[in-house]
Every structure is written in C-alpha cells, then in structure tokens.
Amino acid sequence: MARERLYLFDTTLRDGAQTNGVDFTLADKLAIAGMLDELGIDYVEGGYPGANPTDTDFFSASRGLRGKFTAFGMTRRPGRSASNDPGLAALLEAKADAICFVAKAWDYHVRVALETTEEENLASIRDSVKVAKARGREVLLDCEHFFDGYKANSKYALACAKAAYDEGARWVVLCDTNGGTLPHEVEEIVGAVCKVIPGDHVGIHAHNDTEQAVANSFAAVRAGARQIQGTLNGLGERCGNANLVSIIPTLKLKAEFSDAFEIGVSDAQLKKLALVSHALDERLNRGSNRHAPYVGESAFATKAGIHASAIAKDPATYEHVAPETVGNKRKVLVSEQAGKSNILAELERIGIKADKDDPRIGRLLEIVKERETAGYAYEAADASFEMLARRTLGTVPNYFDVTQFDVNVEQRNNAKGERVTVTMAVVKVKVGNDNMISAAEGNGPVNALDRALRKDLGQYQKYIDGLKLTDYRVRILNSGTEAVTRVLIESEDENGDRWTTIGVSPNIIDASFQALMDSIIYKLVKSGAPA
Ligand SMILES: [Zn+2]
C-alpha cells in the first residue's frame, strides 16, 4: 500500500530563537540550516526578515537548501493595503522559497490585541496570501491561538483557516500558541478542521507547556494533519516547542506511523540524528540532556546486573528500538551493583576480549568497587572505565609522562589599575627521550592546565589536534573536611565522537588533571597512536 507523505517543518531558527538565553548569530543560523537540510527536513524556517538585522542578512541571499527556505512574518496590518505595508514588503523581498504568515484566529485577540474587526482580519489573511502567491512563493498560514480560538468561537477560527486555504495557501497550520491544549482535544479539533480543509493541507504547531507537544503533534496526525512543525531539541520560549528530535525517530521506527507515512528523512539521515542534536547544544554552549529520548547518552543505558546479562544475550530484551538507528550507542553501566557479567558485557561492547575466568577480571571488578566507594562514577564516564579496564588488562601504552606541573593563580591590578585574575600553568612532559616544557594562560586553573598540557605532545600532537573539551562538570561529594571533588569532562573529536572522563580528589586541580589525562590517552588509543 502506498504510504502518505508527511511533511516536517523546522522552526528552530524562528520560534526556537525565542528561547531564554539563545541568541543566534548569522554563522549559527547558516550552520543550523545546513544541519537541518542534511537531516532531510522539508521546510527550514529562517526567521523574520525585516524584524532584526541578523534575519534580514540571513534572507539577503538564497541559501541553496534542498528543503524549502521559509520566511516568517505577519499578514498585512489592518487598515492598510498590501502594497502599503513595509513589514509585508520586507517579507516579499526576502530570498525565500516559502512565506509563513502568522494571523490571529481567535476573535477575542482580533478585537483586543489587533483592535480591528473580524471581517478586516479575514480580508488581511486573504490579501496577504494572494500577494505572496502572486510573487511566486509557496504560502503557509500559522493560525495563532487556533485551539483556544476554536473553543471560544469555532466558526470564526475555521473561517480564518478557510480564508487562507480558499485563497490558495499550501498549508494552514493550527497553532497551540499557549501550549495548554491536551492531546484528546487536539485530535477532536484537528478532526473537525479536516472535514472543512483537506488534511494534506493542514499542519500542527504545538508548544510544550503541559509536556505534551510531541503527543499533541501525533494526535493531530492521527486526526488527519500532514505537516508537523517543531524545533531541534524542543527549543522554544517557555517550555519549548514540539521536539523534532523525538518526533522524527517515532515516525520512522514505530509501525503505526512508518507503515502509513513517508517522511523526507532517510534511514541514513536518521543515523545522524544524535550528532545533530548534540551539535546544536554545542553551538548553544550547553550540556546535552543525558536523558533525552532516542539521542541522550542514557537513552540506551542499563544499570542492573540482570538487565546487563540479558542485554548481552539479546539487546532487544530491554530496548524499544536499536540505538544505532538514531546514531546512538548501547551502554551497559558499570556500577556498585555490578557483577562480573556486567563487566564482561561492557568489555565486549568496547571491543576488549576477555575470558570470564581470567583473574584480572575479578581484580578489575574489585578496583571499580573500591573507586566507586571513593566517589568515582564510571557509569557516567565510559572512557575512564575503558582506560581503567585496559590498564588493568595491561594494554595501554605509556605514551608520555607528565613529570611536573605547576598552576599559578594571581590577582593584582593591571596597568590600567583594574583588578584582574591571571592564571598560568606550566607543564613538564617526557615523550620518549624528549623533555618538553609548555606554558599557557587560561581563564581559570583548569583551562590553563589543559592548554599547557595540549600545547606540545611532540610526536603525539597530531593525534589530539581535533580533540575538544565540550563540557566540564564539578560536584563536591560528602561534606565538611571530608569533601572530595568529582570532575567530569566531556570531550569530542574531529569525527564527532564523544566521550566522558572522570577524576576524583580532595583537590579540584588534581581531579581535573586526572580527567584530562584520561581523555587525552583515550583519544590516543582510539586513534591508534603508536606506542
Ligand atoms: Zn510558536
């Protein structure tokens, strides 16, 4: 049976840009649009040309996307003609394939916010669709507050949607602007709309204020809608928009949807999903949600011993989909509850052959337990576990030795008489027969130490050039004088591979140093650097 086409519309660069603390530069917008396009998204909404210089610049040139590059803006202002509205003119000037207009669909908003008549609002919708179509653009209409408007005055809300459709808009998008509508209400209302406007012209734009934006999007599809709007990682103001990173794999991997619908994202593109999700967080300079469905680091992680041994026999026993399909990895956590079967399963996963009767396996288990009591958390630091396992099994080359390091933090007045804090690190490294000294300044002791350590590793430098530290987390364990510091460092390399390392010590610099060293050595092992 032929599957129906379902379209994906991304608004990360427009609605997602409303997120508290998010401010995209032009370079960010170009990079994110590129990622969305590579993922196979049908519509990439770029912003609001004319509203701010970044968006105007972004739309000053054609961006050469495979998907439809879409500009967003308001319908003509009430009381003006379409040819005498500067906002509309800027929108029509934008180098875009499609224009998404936003219009009020709630009579109360038309009266109170827009201060105009219901009829003038309908005329504004019709005129705007008409003029954009005449300029050769595909047209979408976002019906703002559609669900609340429908509950208050279904006739008027429908009239707004119908006006755009009758004038030739390709899509009429029903927006749950306040995000408070529940899935059964969405299903019922979208069903009613689809009796008046064919479902393959109806879209859903859900906000996450009851944490059901994803569920609301699927409810709309069940009721007939054929376009879903959302953002990467659910970015958006307040509680965010519908999360396309959760929606896409559900559409691709759950039979209810994959049997019925085809989307623009191929199986190969789906494998890039985790990478795209993490790359967005990195651009925003924030840690990724470890517990994000499908793409989070913990999405396929299992802790208890009996689960781990079952997973080793057949992964499907505890997984709803295969992690590789979305570019994620299975992870069996090594924890205090770990038994030998856990350790063996994890070793097998990271490609270390070991015999269950090997006495070194028992020793590794002892060390893990001892260290976890001291504050290490290997379940959160896969790369440090791997280094520990390889060392215990005797297979990590001694690439270099750090013979000495020194970190100096100084606070003083600079030449301008301003109070400044300056941090400097000096590291002595022995690589083979060469002794090297590197010094670097940093914005803090750990940063300075990292920069000095990675400044010159002689013959190994080329293997770590692509290494980046993407996250650094510090936690103080215990209390009072017994306090120890736990440092987790997340790293990424030129292939987009990510790993986490750990250090624990009463001294934060020492803990950070352990985690840094593990990360560098992990990278050298991974790159096959010669001993
Ligand atoms: Zn919105």
Side-chain angles (χ1 to χ4, degrees):
M1 202 180 79
R3 292 181 301 167
E4 248 185 286
R5 183 70 157 86
L6 189 66
Y7 293 84
L8 297 174
F9 182 109
D10 179 277
T11 181
T12 303
L13 300 177
R14 200 272 300 170
D15 231 0
Q18 302 299 317
T19 314
N20 221 336
V22 167
D23 193 10
F24 293 126
T25 61
L26 183 59
D28 289 334
K29 288 205 158 199
L30 286 166
I32 294 167
M35 290 192 316
L36 289 165
D37 205 39
E38 261 180 52
L39 199 56
I41 304 296
D42 300 296
Y43 295 82
V44 175
E45 192 174 52
Y48 203 157
N52 62 67
T54 306
D55 286 4
T56 306
D57 277 0
F58 194 37
F59 282 98
S60 64
S62 165
R63 296 300 173 190
L65 303 179
R66 281 165 289 188
K68 287 175 182 159
F69 189 40
T70 307
F72 175 89
M74 289 195 292
T75 50
R76 75 153 173 81
R77 278 156 56 187
R80 290 209 177 203
S81 71
S83 56
N84 185 28
D85 182 328
L88 185 56
L91 199 51
L92 295 170
E93 280 309 305
K95 300 266 189 305
D97 306 301
I99 291 178
C100 184
F101 287 110
V102 58
K104 309 270 182 212
W106 186 354
D107 58 352
Y108 164 72
H109 270 259
V110 171
R111 279 194 314 274
V112 174
L114 221 50
E115 294 182 4
T116 189
T117 63
E118 293 179 13
E119 188 40 52
E120 172 62 3
N121 184 52
L122 290 172
S124 156
I125 292 172
R126 284 192 293 264
D127 292 350
S128 305
V129 173
K130 190 186 284 176
V131 69
K133 278 202 60 113
R135 293 286 282 263
R137 303 291 195 278
E138 181 175 324
V139 183
L140 301 90
L141 182 80
D142 270 5
C143 297
E144 205 183 36
H145 296 293
F146 185 84
F147 293 90
D148 297 314
Y150 187 92
K151 287 182 206 169
N153 182 347
S154 60
K155 215 169 136 235
Y156 188 68
L158 270 175
C160 294
K162 190 83 169 29
Y165 174 69
D166 288 344
E167 207 57 62
R170 169 68 185 89
W171 294 101
V172 176
V173 183
L174 313 179
C175 302
D176 185 24
T177 308
N178 290 349
T181 311
L182 302 175
H184 68 276
E185 299 173 308
V186 169
E187 193 158 349
E188 195 185 310
I189 294 172
V190 173
V193 172
C194 290
K195 290 199 176 99
V196 180
I197 297 169
D200 58 359
H201 291 271
V202 174
I204 178 74
H205 176 111
H207 279 262
N208 204 30
D209 299 73
T210 70
E211 215 179 15
Q212 300 189 88
V214 169
N216 279 343
S217 304
F218 291 130
V221 169
R222 271 196 301 274
R226 293 296 176 257
Q227 183 194 96
I228 299 177
Q229 298 201 343
T231 60
L232 287 177
N233 296 349
L235 231 55
E237 67 183 328
R238 305 189 311 272
C239 317
N241 286 55
N243 184 0
L244 286 179
V245 174
S246 297
I247 288 172
I248 291 169
T250 299
L251 290 173
K252 291 282 291 176
L253 301 173
K254 298 293 170 183
E256 176 184 350
F257 296 108
S258 62
D259 287 352
F261 302 109
E262 197 176 358
I263 60 173
V265 181
S266 69
D267 293 351
Q269 286 165 319
L270 184 63
K271 286 194 168 73
K272 296 182 189 161
L273 192 68
L275 193 64
V276 166
S277 168
H278 297 152
L280 179 78
D281 288 325
E282 180 147 327
R283 226 157 229 289
L284 298 175
N285 200 19
R286 64 180 200 180
S288 295
N289 174 7
R290 314 176 72 83
H291 303 285
Y294 295 104
V295 297
E297 218 182 312
S298 300
F300 298 97
T302 313
K303 189 163 181 170
I306 48 160
H307 291 191
S309 63
I311 281 183
K313 284 175 202 147
D314 181 4
T317 47
Y318 284 93
E319 287 168 2
H320 72 120
V321 298
E324 312 80 59
T325 54
V326 292
N328 206 344
K329 272 191 248 166
R330 175 172 307 124
K331 209 162 139 189
V332 178
L333 304 175
V334 182
S335 74
E336 248 183 292
Q337 303 141 19
K340 256 192 195 177
S341 65
N342 238 354
I343 295 261
L344 284 163
E346 181 62 4
L347 289 176
E348 195 184 313
R349 193 190 66 75
I350 60 182
I352 300 177
K353 278 195 177 32
D355 185 75
K356 70 177 185 349
D357 300 321
D358 186 334
R360 292 177 304 176
I361 299 299
R363 199 158 75 231
L364 178 58
L365 183 58
E366 283 312 305
I367 298 172
V368 167
K369 283 185 173 170
E370 238 168 65
R371 289 192 161 213
E372 293 207 326
T373 309
Y376 286 81
Y378 285 106
E379 63 190 60
D382 48 353
S384 282
F385 172 74
E386 181 169 341
M387 287 301 99
L388 180 66
R390 289 191 186 276
R391 281 186 197 112
T392 309
L393 301 173
T395 57
V396 177
N398 189 26
Y399 298 108
F400 62 91
D401 287 312
V402 175
T403 53
Q404 195 181 327
F405 73 77
D406 177 51
V407 181
N408 180 37
V409 181
E410 186 179 86
Q411 200 178 80
R412 55 175 159 80
N413 290 329
N414 68 9
K416 292 182 205 158
E418 299 157 340
R419 202 75 184 148
V420 290
T421 305
V422 183
T423 308
M424 163 91 117
V426 179
V427 177
K428 290 187 187 175
V429 183
K430 191 165 190 243
V431 185
N433 292 321
D434 299 331
N435 286 297
M436 275 155 324
I437 300 183
S438 301
E441 283 189 357
N443 57 22
V446 176
N447 179 241
L449 185 61
D450 172 42
R451 291 168 78 166
L453 187 59
R454 294 202 285 145
K455 209 168 191 177
D456 188 5
L457 276 183
Q459 62 182 110
Y460 297 118
Q461 191 61 34
K462 61 174 183 280
Y463 297 98
I464 60 163
D465 276 344
L467 175 67
K468 278 189 297 181
L469 306 189
T470 54
D471 199 15
Y472 174 82
R473 297 192 291 276
V474 177
R475 222 180 126 185
I476 310 296
L477 307 169
N478 307 323
S479 58
T481 51
E482 294 292 295
V484 293
T485 305
R486 174 199 283 167
V487 168
L488 285 167
I489 289 179
E490 200 173 282
S491 310
E492 189 180 316
D493 70 5
E494 62 281 8
N495 305 317
D497 288 338
R498 299 160 81 90
W499 60 88
T500 305
T501 52
I502 191 168
V504 173
S505 165
N507 181 313
I508 187 171
I509 306 279
D510 186 37
S512 306
F513 179 73
Q514 292 171 24
L516 273 176
M517 285 291 283
D518 265 5
S519 177
I520 292 171
I521 294 174
Y522 176 84
K523 172 64 178 154
L524 291 174
V525 170
K526 181 174 173 291
S527 305

